[in-house]
Amino acid sequence: MASRSRTTTGLALLFGVLGTLHFVKPEPFEQIVPRALPRKKELVYASGVAELACAAGLLHPRTRRVAGLASAGLLVAIFPANVQMAADLQRKGSLPAKAVGWARLPLQLPLIRWALKAAREDG
């Protein structure tokens, strides 16, 4: 079996934990779904399924390429929710929460790079 990088393993772990949280405690995720989108709970569950599928796919060499590309796409797709969270925190969050909310946004770029790197790993 081909080995996987630590970044791929870390990304799979991150998606696995967050995907599980979408089902265990969906309310915080519902709150950051952009207001214009309907059926927030269903979107949270769908993104949780997508995160769990990406996590599983990243772990196996035969599915890593597709899972890496899907992971990058998922990270782009959920970016508006992160922007919504930052905007909400700007209005009603503490100063540290505001800082964290906005600081998180550029951190999506390394995650997307990790996903694309995973897609290029031998499989």
Side-chain angles (χ1 to χ4, degrees):
M1 182 179 280
S3 65
R4 66 180 168 267
S5 68
R6 286 186 291 186
T7 56
T8 297
T9 301
L11 189 60
L13 180 64
L14 178 67
F15 276 137
V17 169
L18 290 173
T20 300
L21 284 174
H22 278 66
F23 294 96
V24 173
K25 193 155 177 61
E27 296 81 13
F29 297 101
E30 289 175 48
Q31 291 174 6
I32 66 171
V33 173
R35 286 171 186 64
L37 297 177
R39 298 186 171 173
K40 293 180 183 344
K41 185 174 290 262
E42 291 88 343
L43 288 171
V44 167
Y45 288 154
S47 62
V49 168
E51 288 181 359
L52 292 171
C54 287
L58 288 168
L59 295 175
H60 195 282
R62 293 186 73 193
T63 55
R64 191 168 299 136
R65 177 171 169 66
V66 170
L69 295 172
S71 296
L74 178 60
L75 288 163
V76 170
I78 63 172
F79 188 75
N82 293 326
V83 172
Q84 183 69 60
M85 181 180 69
D88 289 346
L89 287 171
Q90 186 63 37
R91 283 193 300 280
K92 60 184 177 188
S94 66
L95 187 58
K98 290 175 185 179
V100 168
W102 290 109
R104 282 186 75 221
L105 297 178
L107 294 176
Q108 292 289 111
L109 290 174
L111 293 175
I112 293 168
R113 274 195 300 259
W114 290 355
L116 295 173
K117 179 184 171 202
R120 293 188 305 271
E121 287 180 10
D122 292 334

